[in-house]
């Protein structure tokens, strides 16, 4: 799927794509996503729905499946994600939350009320979602999440769930709306920081780090498309540095110390399809080979 902007998501009524995005989103960044342009696109598409809006059978089926999940209670794991995804297919009267001020996260209440209660929902359709979520404590207006200090090693980064989810969230947000300058700049800064951690990591430890959640986060960054942005001088210097490290004519190349580190960084700086490894089965470690084929080799074929 090609990257798409929030404007095109609304204009193209891309409900399925947004719903799947919400269902896959990490729990601890839902508030940030809801307050981003992704949340705005979700609200706009939901607001377009009326009781007479036609939805394809597969969307009705998904709505019913999500509704059945929500009947188990909002305190269940994944319930808030399912609720937001369900918004996209539920016009007023098809979704009702019992006592929303007490049973929804505080950051979600205003949006729910604007979509479903201030518009005069009829209460028909799905039964109210049970009130099983403890009442949140009063809070001030949403603030930017505090991700803490950047870990000083790749090992520490891989063990830091907040930073892992930050990398995934920024990569996904950029993929959806590459025109958002704040998201772009934050992702590029994180890419630079992560590159230094990868280059400093002992090469023999890389495979272990790619056995867990870090692998998904790394490939989300590579697939995000941020490589198409014009490089800033510090990014250009980094790309030249890792490129030299991979050149046999300059004392580098696969099989020399640090080459795999440099290649991992290079894939975050070169667009898929713009560089190629000759005989990758012989030169790349097995744990890296499949990801390279899936992202870069497929782009070369296209």
């Amino acid at each position: 799927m090609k990257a798409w902007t929030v404007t095109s998501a609304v204009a193209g009524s891309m409900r399925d794509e947004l719903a799947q995005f919400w269902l896959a989103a990490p729990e601890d960044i839902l508030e940030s996503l809801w307050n981003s342009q992704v949340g705005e696109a979700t609200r706009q598409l939901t607001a377009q729905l009326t009781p007479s809006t036609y939805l394809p059978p597969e969307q009705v089926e998904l709505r019913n499946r999500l509704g059945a999940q929500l009947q188990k209670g909002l305190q269940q794991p994944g319930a808030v994600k399912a609720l937001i995804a369900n918004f996209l297919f539920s016009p007023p009267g098809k979704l009702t939350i019992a006592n929303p001020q007490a049973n929804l996260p505080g950051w979600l209440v205003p949006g729910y009320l604007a979509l479903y209660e201030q518009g005069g929902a009829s209460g028909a359709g799905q039964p109210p979602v049970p009130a099983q979520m403890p009442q949140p404590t009063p809070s001030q207006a949403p603030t930017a999440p505090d991700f803490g200090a950047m870990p000083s090693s790749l090992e520490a980064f891989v063990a830091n769930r907040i930073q892992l989810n930050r990398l995934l969230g920024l990569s996904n947000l950029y993929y959806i709306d590459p025109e958002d300058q704040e998201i772009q700049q934050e992702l590029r800064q994180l890419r630079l920081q992560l590159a230094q951690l990868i280059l400093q990591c002992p090469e023999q430890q890389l495979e272990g780090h790619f056995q867990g959640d870090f692998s998904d986060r790394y490939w989300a960054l590579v697939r995000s498309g941020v490589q198409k942005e014009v490089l800033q001088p510090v990014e250009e210097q980094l790309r030249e540095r890792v490129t030299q490290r991979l050149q046999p004519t300059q004392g580098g190349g696969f099989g020399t110390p640090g080459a795999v580190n440099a290649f991992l960084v290079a894939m975050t700086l070169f667009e898929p399809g713009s560089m190629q490894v000759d005989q990758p089965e012989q030169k790349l470690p097995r744990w890296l080979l499949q990801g390279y084929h899936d992202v870069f080799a497929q782009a070369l074929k296209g």
Side-chain angles (χ1 to χ4, degrees), residues 108 121 147 232 270 275 289 294:
L108 189 56
F147 297 108
Q232 299 169 350
F270 284 90
M275 69 173 185
L289 188 59
D294 290 345

Side-chain angles (χ1 to χ4, degrees), residues 192-242:
L192 281 173
Q193 295 171 320
L194 181 60
Q196 297 306 317
L197 299 184
I198 291 175
L199 292 175
Q200 294 166 10
C201 179
E203 189 171 323
Q204 65 272 19
Q205 294 181 10
L206 290 172
E207 180 177 3
H209 295 326
F210 271 78
Q211 298 304 310
D213 291 339
F214 175 65
S215 178
D216 291 337
R217 273 59 174 175
Y218 169 82
W219 290 113
L221 170 62
V222 173
R223 288 188 172 97
S224 70
V226 70
Q227 302 97 317
K228 73 177 183 297
E229 302 292 344
V230 177
L231 296 181
Q232 299 169 350
V234 65
E235 295 168 327
E236 185 66 50
Q237 292 171 9
L238 175 63
R239 190 167 75 169
E240 291 177 2
R241 176 185 170 191
V242 296

Side-chain angles (χ1 to χ4, degrees), residues 147-151 157 160-167 190:
F147 297 108
M150 185 69 178
F157 185 92
N160 190 311
R161 177 61 54 181
I162 294 176
Q163 292 293 344
L164 286 176
N165 286 343
R166 177 188 176 209
L167 176 58
L190 181 56

Side-chain angles (χ1 to χ4, degrees), residues 52-204:
S52 60
T53 299
Y54 171 78
L55 295 176
E58 57 271 20
Q59 292 185 350
V60 174
E61 180 183 356
L62 175 58
R63 182 181 69 193
N64 293 340
R65 189 164 68 248
L66 293 173
Q69 177 181 344
L70 293 171
Q71 287 302 307
K72 299 176 182 178
L74 289 170
Q75 67 182 12
Q76 299 297 315
V80 175
K81 298 194 295 185
L83 178 63
I84 296 174
N86 206 5
F87 285 172
L88 289 156
F89 312 109
S90 300
K94 286 291 184 181
L95 179 67
T96 304
I97 305 298
N99 195 5
Q101 289 84 352
N103 299 302
L104 291 180
W107 52 266
L108 189 56
V109 170
Y112 166 78
L113 293 177
L115 290 169
Y116 289 101
E117 296 199 1
Q118 294 175 11
S122 66
Q126 295 181 14
V129 174
Q132 297 183 21
M133 195 173 220
Q135 184 170 355
T137 55
S139 60
Q140 301 299 321
T143 58
D146 181 7
F147 297 108
M150 185 69 178
S152 58
S153 68
L154 185 60
E155 181 179 12
F157 185 92
V158 169
N160 190 311
R161 177 61 54 181
I162 294 176
Q163 292 293 344
L164 286 176
N165 286 343
R166 177 188 176 209
L167 176 58
L168 178 62
L170 287 171
S171 299
N172 286 343
L173 286 171
Y174 176 85
Y175 181 80
I176 287 175
D177 188 7
E179 313 241 337
D180 187 315
Q181 292 300 307
E182 291 186 11
I183 294 297
Q184 180 194 137
Q185 292 305 315
E186 187 174 354
L187 179 60
R188 292 172 72 164
Q189 180 61 31
L190 181 56
R191 177 177 61 175
L192 281 173
Q193 295 171 320
L194 181 60
Q196 297 306 317
L197 299 184
I198 291 175
L199 292 175
Q200 294 166 10
C201 179
E203 189 171 323
Q204 65 272 19

